[in-house]
Amino acid sequence: RATAATNDGQADLDKATEKKLSAVTVDDLGEVIKLCESAQKKGLDPSNTQFANDLYTSTLLQRATFYTEHVTNSQFTDPRGSAKARTLALADLDKVVAKDPKAGTAWLMIAKLQQLPGGDRPAAEKAANKAVDLNKDDVTAEAASLILRANLLSDAKKRLADYDAAIKLTPSDPEALW
C-alpha cells in the first residue's frame, strides 16, 4: 500500500509521457509540463520522480528553445511578440536551471536572451560564464558559449582569448571566425 500512496501521480506521468511523444505544438508542450507538475504533486516513487523531473526539464528546454528561436530569428518582426517570447523563454529556462543547475544549454540560452537589447547584461555575463564552464563536454556548445561571453566582455585581451579558444575548438565554424 505504501507504494501506491507514493505513486499516486503515475497516471499523470503516463499521460505526460504519451503527450510528449505526440507533441507538435507549444500548447502540447505546456500540457506535458502541467501533467509532470501534477504527477509530482500527487506523489511518485524515487525512480518515477527522477523520470518526471527529466521529462519536465527537457520539455521546458524544448519550449524555451522554440521561444528563443522566435526572439533571435530576424524574420520575427513584432517587438511585442518578441518581448513576450523572451519573457516566456526566460521563465522556462529559470525553471530548468532551478531543477538542474548544470544544464549548460539552458545557461547558454539565458545568456543569448539577456544579451539582447532590453536584456540584463549582468545576468547575461553570469549565464555566459556558467555556460562556458558547463558546456565542456560539447565542443560546439562550448565554442558558442565562448563566443557569446567574448561578445559581452569589455576587456580586449579576455575577449580575444575567448575568440581564440572558440576558433581552436571549431576551426571550420564560420561563426567562430567572426
Side-chain angles (χ1 to χ4, degrees):
R1 287 278 161 194
T3 304
T6 61
N7 240 357
D8 289 346
Q10 185 64 51
D12 285 348
L13 182 58
D14 291 344
K15 289 177 193 172
T17 304
E18 290 172 24
K19 189 70 170 176
K20 174 74 178 210
L21 293 172
S22 64
V24 293
T25 68
V26 173
D27 290 340
D28 292 341
L29 297 176
E31 185 63 27
V32 173
I33 292 164
K34 286 178 189 173
L35 286 164
C36 286
E37 290 169 341
S38 174
Q40 291 173 329
K41 187 176 180 181
K42 289 178 181 177
L44 295 166
D45 66 30
S47 65
N48 281 326
T49 297
Q50 184 60 52
F51 179 78
N53 283 335
D54 292 346
L55 182 60
Y56 178 74
T57 56
S58 70
T59 306
L60 283 167
L61 191 59
Q62 184 178 359
R63 188 170 71 175
T65 300
F66 172 82
Y67 291 138
T68 301
E69 287 172 358
H70 281 295
V71 173
T72 58
N73 184 341
S74 62
Q75 295 175 352
F76 193 72
T77 57
D78 177 12
R80 289 173 298 165
S82 182
K84 182 178 180 182
R86 176 165 59 184
T87 299
L88 293 169
L90 286 169
D92 281 354
L93 293 166
D94 286 345
K95 290 176 185 174
V96 171
V97 298
K99 285 269 189 192
D100 182 5
K102 295 185 180 202
T105 302
W107 286 111
L108 178 58
M109 289 171 50
I110 290 168
K112 281 182 185 179
L113 292 166
Q114 292 291 17
Q115 68 145 358
L116 295 172
D120 179 338
R121 189 174 181 91
E125 291 171 1
K126 176 186 171 189
N129 285 328
K130 286 186 179 273
V132 169
D133 292 342
L134 295 170
N135 284 319
K136 301 260 187 235
D137 61 340
D138 179 340
V139 173
T140 303
E142 183 181 3
S145 300
L146 285 162
I147 291 166
L148 200 144
R149 183 173 73 180
N151 292 339
L152 293 165
L153 293 171
S154 55
D155 181 303
K157 286 182 182 179
K158 289 180 180 178
R159 190 170 50 243
L160 185 58
D162 276 358
Y163 287 138
D164 286 344
I167 290 169
K168 287 178 185 169
L169 287 169
T170 56
S172 61
D173 182 2
E175 179 74 18
L177 302 174
W178 291 101

